[in-house]
Amino acid sequence: MVKIAKILFPVAVPEPFDYLIPEGMRLSAGDFVYAPLGTQGKLGVVWGFGEREDTGKLKLVLEHKPTRPLNPEMLKFVNFTAQYNCTLQGLVLRMVLRSHKALEPSPDVTLYKPPKNLVGERPTGLSAARRRVLDVTDIWPARAGEVAKAAAVSSSVLGAMAKAGLLERFTAPLDPPFGTPNPDYEGRDFELTQKQIAAGEELQALVRQKSFTVALLDGVTGSGKTEVYLEAAAQALRSGGQVLILVPEIALTQAGLKRFTERFGVEPAQWHSAMGDAARRRVWREVHNGRARLVVGARSALYLPFADLGLIVVDEEHDGSYKQDEGVIYNARDMAVVRGKLAGAAVVLASATPSLESLTNARSGRYHHVILPERPGAATMPDVALVDLKDHKPDAGRFLSGPVIDGVTEALSRGEQAMLYLNRRGYAPLIICRACGERLKSPDTDSWLVQHKRTGRAICHHTGYSMPMPSACPECKTEGALTPVGPGVERVAEEAAALFPDARIEILSSDTAGNPERIRERMAAMASGEIDIMVGTQMVVKGHNFPHLTFVGVVDGDLSLGGGDLRAGERTYQTLVQVAGRAGRADKPGRALIQTHMPDHEALVALAAGDRAGFISAELEMREILGLPPYGKLAAIIISAPDAAKATEFARKVLNKAPRAEGIEILGPSEAPITILRGRHRRRLLIKAEPNVNLSAYMRSWKSRVRAPHKIKFAIDIDPQGFM
Ligand SMILES: [Zn+2]
């Protein structure tokens, strides 16, 4: 028998491959190596060892990279993620190895700065160019190119100045380490309330145990959850561990980051999808070697190779953006709990509107339940009421009812701010031809084109397809007959501008806000009172503080109800609580009105009554009857093919291959709600399982019986959130 190394590569492979170990090479699990794969030497990770007799065809490991190995817990985490979500181990490893360059030490770079004795002093007889260099501020230390640009001189000036003693020249790592957060820094200009201190101490006690534990931090909007979980983070930092704080992607751009800096004295390391290679490399390396102690990131940060993880916080744990829907399909909220367990770390799930799954775990005692019941200071919960659109019908072509218009008027007359919420981008969600009835459709996707007036385009929100808004109907060629139907934020803003001509109105949606810098800037403008009426989508609901906002009008409270989505009620409730929670966060009471055609819907009635417990028990009761999570498990299979008949045929084949098992119910195949996406026809199977069934194992066994033919795609989604 010969000892062999099992090596996993970050490519689409289901498991590690066997390799011979060259004489004298000492390998451990987690080591990075190069080994031949196909015709190339490729970077992989030693996943384990074994023994084999028939080693004739095995190849030798090429090279052992002398860098810190991945933790054993990281290997287990990759294995678990792949197993649970029925995906390939290699694809999960690819999420971990996001920067190959990070395995090398940081290259050095030459930097310049003025010597101490020249700060504020100017020797006589300097050339104009040298003087301009010394006049540059807010840049030091800097690279030659940066200084040359700022001072408008050629780089050679810097070399000469260094020789003359007018600049210091030194080398430093290109990727500087992150500053060390100080758990006792406390740079905030406010004090925590008694309730916040008590909740913080509860969490700190859990972190001090230095073992796996989960807490649900359940606090109303504006109750200061961030401040409380930062106390848990402080404790983890004191104990020498690393802290990972997951936030919905969009929150990374908000004032939120400032709170971390104020609390710990340094900016945290950040991780998100829009990062460049250099930033990625720096964060990965520093997290891996344990020097980045505090990381704030979007869901993929969960797959960073932490050396010694002490605490994971999942902020806004109910948020749909924790679910990754493409590639490796996983839910970062659920995987965070697993990661915490493998690392022996504390996990804090924070939300004003926890998911029913987390609430059930808290009620059953599996999770600690830490409750923050009230807003600090004089801030009270807003008064929420429903506006029945049958009784308060807006004028034709208008979307704001009398009571909502009055609400805005009153807020503005007091010098306060109003917000109009509508989760629809653009001007109108539908474009119809008055002459022939034609609706403008996306050419390759089963969805209507949305009119965007600002850009003058018609856009598909599922694929991004876009075309100039035509002046004539593409079907009957009638000029000027295309008509917008229904409201988007642009149209509501137009209506508001007509009603309140003197108000400063701003639209905030992903189209208008664009880059993170601009979002940050507009949020700051809203907070400081430079905007009177903000008209916004989903983007405005995530944890911003607007002290002068006292009225919120929800234009269409029914948007996410109905439509066969099993979580619609829960999601509507969560969104509306968050939106309503934007109002009255400082010392002014707030009010929220929700326009609806369904004033009897359970979610809305409970919301208006401020009856969270009532909503939750009604929703749980319904789920228990239907056997849905948390009373049962769900998985989905999505099949897509270039033509409809092939999709249907293959979906039937897949159904026929389903293993027989107790406690499993299979629904479908049926057309997916978006039947055609980017030209591919989609079919869906929904699998319901009783709680004691190992649904992942069942789905893996099913998957192993299925071979998808050329051009047909087959994906498994465990715990599907939406049903697109
Ligand atoms: Zn027409």
Side-chain angles (χ1 to χ4, degrees):
M1 296 290 249
V2 179
K3 184 177 174 186
I4 50 98
K6 294 183 172 296
I7 294 172
L8 185 63
F9 295 95
V11 295
V13 293
E15 57 193 10
F17 298 138
D18 292 351
Y19 286 87
L20 292 169
I21 305 166
E23 194 89 22
M25 189 184 281
R26 302 176 71 112
L27 294 178
S28 314
D31 278 348
F32 291 93
V33 292
Y34 281 96
L37 185 69
T39 56
Q40 287 178 318
K42 201 162 167 47
L43 181 72
V45 175
V46 178
W47 220 247
F49 298 94
E51 290 191 326
R52 273 177 66 164
E53 266 174 44
D54 57 323
T55 56
K57 283 185 182 161
L58 293 190
K59 292 180 175 158
L60 281 163
V61 174
L62 298 173
E63 186 191 334
H64 176 200
K65 265 197 100 46
T67 186
R68 188 191 175 95
L70 286 181
N71 278 348
E73 86 193 34
M74 203 62 209
L75 307 192
K76 286 185 194 156
F77 187 48
V78 169
N79 291 344
F80 182 92
T81 301
Q83 272 218 334
Y84 183 84
N85 297 292
C86 300
T87 186
L88 302 174
Q89 278 185 349
L91 290 181
V92 182
L93 181 61
R94 191 163 71 186
M95 302 202 302
V96 176
L97 292 182
R98 293 301 292 275
S99 173
H100 285 201
K101 281 201 182 126
L103 296 173
E104 313 293 339
S106 173
D108 282 337
V109 61
T110 302
L111 297 175
Y112 293 85
K113 69 174 184 194
K116 274 207 181 72
N117 60 341
L118 284 187
V119 174
E121 291 284 319
R122 292 291 175 273
T124 49
L126 282 183
S127 71
R130 291 184 173 195
R131 186 171 288 280
R132 281 206 303 279
V133 168
L134 290 177
D135 283 345
V136 172
T137 50
D138 296 335
I139 186 176
W140 312 106
R143 298 161 80 164
E146 296 164 349
V147 183
K149 199 174 157 209
V153 300
S154 85
S155 300
S156 61
V157 173
L158 303 178
M161 286 178 74
K163 275 208 188 103
L166 293 166
L167 281 179
E168 278 176 18
R169 176 163 51 189
F170 59 101
T171 58
L174 175 61
D175 303 330
F178 293 93
T180 306
N182 175 1
D184 303 309
Y185 180 79
E186 297 280 14
R188 299 177 292 210
D189 56 2
F190 56 88
E191 304 264 313
L192 298 192
T193 64
Q194 280 309 313
K195 291 242 162 60
Q196 290 169 339
I197 290 170
E201 282 172 354
E202 229 176 312
L203 293 181
Q204 291 197 332
L206 296 175
V207 172
R208 261 197 299 272
Q209 293 171 7
K210 295 191 98 172
S211 60
F212 171 59
T213 169
V214 186
L216 175 63
L217 176 59
D218 181 355
V220 298
T221 50
S223 61
K225 284 183 297 296
T226 308
E227 314 308 333
V228 171
Y229 71 61
L230 287 181
E231 293 313 297
Q235 182 59 47
L237 291 169
R238 279 187 205 109
S239 310
Q242 289 169 291
V243 174
L244 168 62
I245 296 173
L246 293 178
V247 295
E249 177 110 10
I250 189 73
L252 272 169
T253 61
Q254 314 308 329
L257 282 177
K258 204 174 108 207
R259 290 154 125 183
F260 299 105
T261 310
E262 281 174 357
R263 178 63 185 82
F264 296 119
V266 295
E267 245 194 40
Q270 292 175 50
W271 183 266
H272 54 84
S273 60
M275 282 166 84
D277 283 346
R280 211 175 269 281
R281 174 184 70 205
R282 177 184 176 209
V283 175
W284 199 97
R285 186 191 294 118
E286 296 298 308
V287 166
H288 186 50
N289 67 26
R291 284 190 301 194
R293 303 283 310 283
L294 178 63
V295 179
V296 180
R299 63 178 179 233
S300 59
L302 188 61
Y303 288 86
L304 283 170
F306 287 89
D308 181 14
L309 198 49
L311 172 70
I312 306 174
V313 175
V314 184
D315 198 4
E316 310 287 354
E317 66 94 29
H318 64 277
D319 196 280
S321 69
Y322 286 120
K323 180 84 181 187
Q324 174 154 304
D325 282 325
E326 287 184 343
V328 175
I329 300 175
Y330 71 98
N331 187 327
R333 192 258 328 266
D334 298 341
M335 292 301 112
V337 173
V338 175
R339 179 92 205 253
K341 188 170 185 182
L342 292 171
V347 179
V348 173
L349 308 176
S351 176
T353 53
S355 62
L356 290 184
E357 284 87 344
S358 297
L359 266 180
T360 308
N361 282 326
R363 286 176 168 187
S364 72
R366 277 189 66 199
Y367 294 175
H368 295 268
H369 203 174
V370 180
I371 298 173
L372 267 175
E374 58 192 39
R375 293 181 172 199
T380 51
M381 283 305 286
D383 181 15
V384 182
L386 304 180
V387 176
D388 187 342
L389 286 171
K390 279 192 296 296
D391 303 339
H392 302 278
K393 214 170 149 34
D395 297 339
R398 299 287 177 121
F399 304 93
L400 300 177
S401 64
V404 164
I405 295 169
D406 293 346
V408 176
T409 310
E410 284 160 27
L412 297 187
S413 70
R414 288 191 303 263
E416 294 161 2
Q417 293 168 305
M419 177 184 288
L420 297 170
Y421 170 81
L422 177 69
N423 201 25
R424 268 185 173 154
R425 293 152 50 201
Y427 186 77
L430 196 62
I431 307 157
I432 289 189
C433 171
R434 271 196 316 260
C436 73
E438 168 78 2
R439 299 165 168 215
L440 289 198
K441 253 187 84 175
S442 181
D444 64 347
T445 296
D446 202 9
S447 71
W448 310 121
L449 291 180
V450 176
Q451 182 180 353
H452 285 244
K453 228 179 187 177
R454 284 195 169 195
T455 54
R457 300 187 77 83
I459 299 175
C460 168
H461 283 182
H462 294 291
T463 64
Y465 167 85
S466 126
M467 64 178 200
M469 183 68 196
S471 62
C473 168
E475 194 60 25
C476 70
K477 315 291 179 214
T478 311
E479 279 289 332
L482 291 176
T483 311
V485 178
V489 280
E490 291 180 8
R491 200 170 189 184
V492 170
E494 192 178 272
E495 186 175 339
L499 289 164
F500 307 100
D502 298 330
R504 294 161 300 175
I505 299 173
E506 176 99 12
I507 299 174
L508 202 77
S509 76
S510 51
D511 303 303
T512 56
N515 65 60
E517 207 43 55
R518 165 132 178 102
I519 298 171
R520 214 190 309 244
E521 191 234 318
R522 295 331 292 159
M523 292 295 175
M526 180 72 183
S528 65
E530 291 163 37
I531 297 167
D532 297 314
I533 305 175
M534 179 168 272
V535 183
T537 61
Q538 200 69 27
M539 193 161 247
V540 300
V541 309
K542 310 229 162 140
H544 312 293
N545 280 304
F546 300 131
H548 312 293
L549 174 68
T550 56
F551 178 78
V552 173
V554 177
V555 178
D556 188 349
D558 306 331
L559 260 189
S560 49
L561 291 171
D565 185 340
L566 301 164
R567 292 176 200 269
E570 182 182 5
R571 252 205 302 274
T572 303
Y573 185 82
Q574 285 164 344
T575 304
L576 295 183
V577 168
Q578 299 276 354
V579 173
R582 295 308 113 208
R585 285 166 80 93
D587 52 352
K588 296 165 186 155
R591 200 155 76 89
L593 288 179
I594 300 170
Q595 298 189 154
T596 176
H597 290 100
M598 306 158 86
D600 300 324
H601 193 284
E602 223 153 35
L604 298 178
V605 171
L607 184 67
D611 180 12
R612 188 175 87 157
F615 169 75
I616 289 165
S617 54
E619 188 75 15
L620 283 176
E621 196 178 315
M622 181 202 82
R623 293 211 190 167
E624 190 163 15
I625 292 166
L626 297 174
L628 295 173
Y631 300 102
K633 298 175 180 174
L634 279 182
I637 296 178
I638 299 278
I639 287 150
S640 73
D643 83 79
K646 285 220 170 69
T648 304
E649 186 197 327
F650 182 64
R652 287 214 193 94
K653 248 184 215 158
V654 169
L655 177 63
N656 290 336
K657 300 271 184 186
R660 283 181 191 286
E662 290 285 308
I664 296 267
E665 185 187 349
I666 302 169
L667 308 171
S670 58
E671 292 187 342
I674 300 175
T675 312
I676 307 172
L677 185 61
R678 296 189 175 90
R680 298 183 66 87
H681 296 253
R682 303 163 82 240
R683 300 290 180 271
R684 196 193 73 197
L685 289 147
L686 194 60
I687 297 92
K688 276 168 66 178
E690 288 174 8
N692 56 350
V693 171
N694 183 341
L695 185 55
S696 290
Y698 176 82
M699 297 305 292
R700 281 198 302 280
S701 126
W702 190 347
K703 189 182 180 186
S704 70
R705 300 166 174 218
V706 176
R707 287 269 168 284
H710 189 54
K711 287 191 176 166
I712 293 188
K713 283 187 198 157
F714 169 93
I716 293 176
D717 182 354
I718 302 286
D719 311 323
Q721 296 292 303
F723 296 96
M724 303 306 270

